[in-house]
Amino acid sequence: INQVFHFTANDTLLHALPLFHAFGLILALYGLKQDATLLLVPWWTPGSLASALLKHPVTVLPLVPTLFGLLIQ
């Protein structure tokens, strides 16, 4: 995973992926392992994600293509 993701303690992850899915859980745990700040979005809506992006200095936004599409609509 180190070859693909290069999270550091300076990163802030805005995590809106389900933690019951392997990809979401692995990204969250890897971010914590690297001492990155992890911001969890409890209920995903385009508005809640946009609000969190405005409030926090997010450096990593792991989303699947469907969620990116909903965000830019």
Side-chain angles (χ1 to χ4, degrees):
I1 195 165
N2 289 336
Q3 295 172 357
V4 177
F5 299 106
H6 304 284
F7 303 155
T8 69
N10 296 324
D11 282 318
T12 299
L13 282 78
L14 181 56
H15 198 288
L17 298 172
L19 294 174
F20 60 81
H21 189 276
F23 181 61
L25 182 59
I26 287 170
L27 282 181
L29 292 175
Y30 181 69
L32 291 173
K33 178 186 175 293
Q34 298 302 105
D35 292 327
T37 300
L38 184 65
L39 302 172
L40 296 174
V41 177
W43 188 255
W44 196 95
T45 65
S48 66
L49 196 60
S51 175
L53 285 168
L54 293 172
K55 288 181 186 175
H56 304 283
V58 175
T59 59
V60 180
L61 181 61
L63 296 176
V64 295
T66 303
L67 296 181
F68 275 116
L70 290 172
L71 184 60
I72 61 173
Q73 284 184 0

